[in-house]
Amino acid sequence: MTMQIPLILPQIVALDGVFALAACLQTIHVPLIASRRSSYNRKVICAYEASLVLHLVISAVILFASSGSYLVAPLDVCARAMGGALWLNAAIFAYGVVLMVHYRRPVMLAELLLVVAVTPPVVVVMGSAWTVVLIAEGAFFLFRSIAALLMDVRNRQEDITAFSTIETINVIPVGILYLDPRGRPLLMNRCMRKNLVEFHMPTDLGDMSSTWNDLRKLSMQMPESSQNRVRINLDRFGEARVVVEVSPAEIRLFVHDDVMVSGRLFERIIGLDVTEYAHAHDRLAQANHLLELAGQELQAQIEEVKKVADNAAYLRIRARVHDVIGQACPSSIVIWRRGAWMTCHSSGSTRCCAQSLPICAAGATPNRQSNWAISSMPLVW
């Protein structure tokens, strides 16, 4: 005894609408997948997706015919009446099996089984229970078509297309402006338009031939927030460049040049965000100033250390000279006067003092306060 699921007319019409909607969505999916960048052969995949549209149309036609003759013939009778049209599903099944094996995609097995279920042998074998196949097929292919379109939308946003370059130019944080010889804008991205609007300068619909001169005038009018800023070295950006402070949080460097495109000369203005560069330059200049002050202070400390070292050496030499002369000339008074030693003694010989003169001449120095240095030497025998 076979399973029977009788459908009333509204159910058949609703199921027919599901197949029609799935066929429309699958039709939209075919050109989208044709424009997608993929490692698979796009022509082969598009042919398979188009064949699924044909399969859904065949199923929708069976339901449409059954809704017109529901009181006369059930769904399986209408399907058998179509005859040779159902053999197209067998060809679609064979083509899909080849693709599944070639690209190693076992996920295609479910849809291929539903496709082969709409062929004359399966319809004859299942009889009135074939209605279950149509219900499962309608639900599956509607879900598959919606999921495929969602994947197409996502891939469209991620893939590189002919519009990707324009979209990239529009969203990059670098201002770009191209002008023809008459001063008309040929290309202007959002960043450049935003900067020109903040400067109260003409944009798309105005004459922009004086844009560069206006930017140069703005660069000469330094705002109060940038009066103490160290001037940035911009030689590496070329001669035609200006720095304009849009706001304290945004500093722009504009570079101007002429470019040749397709044999025509155009004026190009590029606006670069140098806010971080300018602030880093200010911090570097401040650090260099502090380093210079620290160097000067260190040099003054070194000079003080030298003076202390000289005084200590002078005291050591003076003490040594006194000791040497005191041992050589006991009970005497040695006087340094005008570059010569004079020895006054009571009973000693001057020979020992004469022998000590080279020592004094080699290491001793006169007192810095006067030309006289008198030292009393103790008696040491």
Side-chain angles (χ1 to χ4, degrees):
M1 182 176 180
T2 59
M3 181 181 60
Q4 297 182 2
I5 303 179
L7 297 177
I8 61 176
L9 183 60
Q11 293 173 338
I12 294 177
V13 173
L15 188 58
D16 190 20
V18 169
F19 274 97
L21 178 60
C24 293
L25 296 178
Q26 183 68 19
T27 304
I28 298 174
H29 172 62
V30 172
L32 292 178
I33 200 173
S35 62
R36 184 193 305 176
R37 295 175 179 266
S38 176
S39 57
Y40 303 129
N41 190 331
R42 285 184 293 178
K43 294 181 179 179
V44 174
I45 300 299
C46 288
Y48 173 72
E49 297 292 337
S51 66
L52 290 181
V53 176
L54 178 60
H55 166 72
L56 294 174
V57 169
I58 293 173
S59 299
V61 170
I62 293 174
L63 288 167
F64 180 76
S66 177
S67 64
S69 59
Y70 178 72
L71 300 176
V72 179
L75 290 174
D76 59 316
V77 175
C78 294
R80 286 196 297 268
M82 294 192 65
L86 296 183
W87 287 106
L88 293 175
N89 290 327
I92 296 172
F93 171 75
Y95 184 57
V97 170
V98 173
L99 293 181
M100 180 182 67
V101 174
H102 182 267
Y103 291 113
R104 299 177 181 178
R105 296 190 61 187
V107 71
M108 297 173 59
L109 183 60
E111 60 192 58
L112 291 177
L113 290 177
L114 290 174
V115 171
V116 77
V118 191
T119 55
V122 178
V123 174
V124 173
V125 170
M126 296 190 67
S128 60
W130 186 72
T131 306
V132 179
V133 174
L134 281 181
I135 296 174
E137 183 184 6
F140 176 82
F141 278 100
L142 180 61
F143 171 78
R144 182 187 186 277
S145 301
I146 295 175
L149 286 179
L150 293 177
M151 292 294 294
D152 290 336
V153 172
R154 193 191 71 173
N155 292 330
R156 194 73 178 177
Q157 294 175 350
E158 296 178 356
D159 287 349
I160 298 177
T161 62
F163 299 99
S164 298
T165 304
I166 299 176
E167 293 173 358
T168 302
I169 292 176
N170 253 335
V171 299
I172 59 176
V174 177
I176 300 176
L177 173 64
Y178 279 82
L179 303 175
D180 65 2
R182 297 182 180 180
R184 296 176 299 184
L186 299 180
L187 174 63
M188 182 191 307
N189 64 350
R190 298 173 187 171
C191 183
M192 179 62 76
R193 185 178 292 104
K194 172 178 173 292
N195 291 148
L196 295 181
V197 169
E198 291 177 348
F199 296 149
H200 304 288
M201 297 172 61
T203 54
D204 300 274
L205 302 179
D207 181 14
M208 304 186 66
S209 57
S210 61
T211 300
W212 177 244
N213 292 330
D214 295 340
L215 289 174
R216 294 181 61 183
K217 293 178 182 178
L218 284 175
S219 66
M220 298 177 183
Q221 301 172 1
M222 299 290 289
E224 296 180 358
S225 58
S226 60
Q227 292 295 332
N228 298 326
R229 177 168 291 119
V230 181
R231 193 159 187 83
I232 305 174
N233 185 9
L234 304 175
D235 293 338
R236 64 188 182 93
F237 296 105
E239 297 181 356
R241 76 275 181 190
V242 295
V243 176
V244 181
E245 183 173 344
V246 182
S247 66
E250 183 178 2
I251 302 174
R252 286 276 172 178
L253 167 67
F254 293 94
V255 182
H256 174 269
D257 62 349
D258 296 326
V259 293
M260 187 72 67
V261 180
S262 301
R264 297 179 59 189
L265 187 64
F266 295 96
E267 182 181 357
R268 178 175 63 184
I269 300 176
I270 305 295
L272 305 174
D273 187 358
V274 295
T275 306
E276 293 296 330
Y277 179 77
H279 292 168
H281 194 273
D282 292 343
R283 291 192 297 268
L284 180 62
Q286 184 179 5
N288 288 337
H289 178 66
L290 295 177
L291 186 61
E292 183 179 357
L293 294 179
Q296 294 176 358
E297 184 178 357
L298 181 62
Q299 186 65 29
Q301 295 292 337
I302 292 175
E303 294 296 333
E304 292 295 330
V305 170
K306 287 183 178 179
K307 291 180 180 179
V308 172
D310 291 344
N311 291 335
Y314 167 73
L315 294 176
R316 287 196 302 271
I317 293 174
R318 178 179 176 180
R320 181 181 177 185
V321 170
H322 287 188
D323 293 344
V324 171
I325 295 178
Q327 293 176 3
C329 303
S331 184
S332 64
I333 298 176
V334 182
I335 303 174
W336 171 272
R337 183 180 183 183
R338 296 182 182 178
W341 284 98
M342 298 179 62
T343 304
C344 301
H345 55 88
S346 58
S347 60
S349 171
T350 61
R351 184 176 57 85
C352 61
C353 296
Q355 292 176 355
S356 65
L357 288 180
I359 299 176
C360 298
T365 57
N367 192 297
R368 299 182 181 181
Q369 301 297 330
S370 66
N371 292 329
W372 292 83
I374 304 175
S375 301
S376 297
M377 302 302 174
L379 295 176
V380 180
W381 292 95

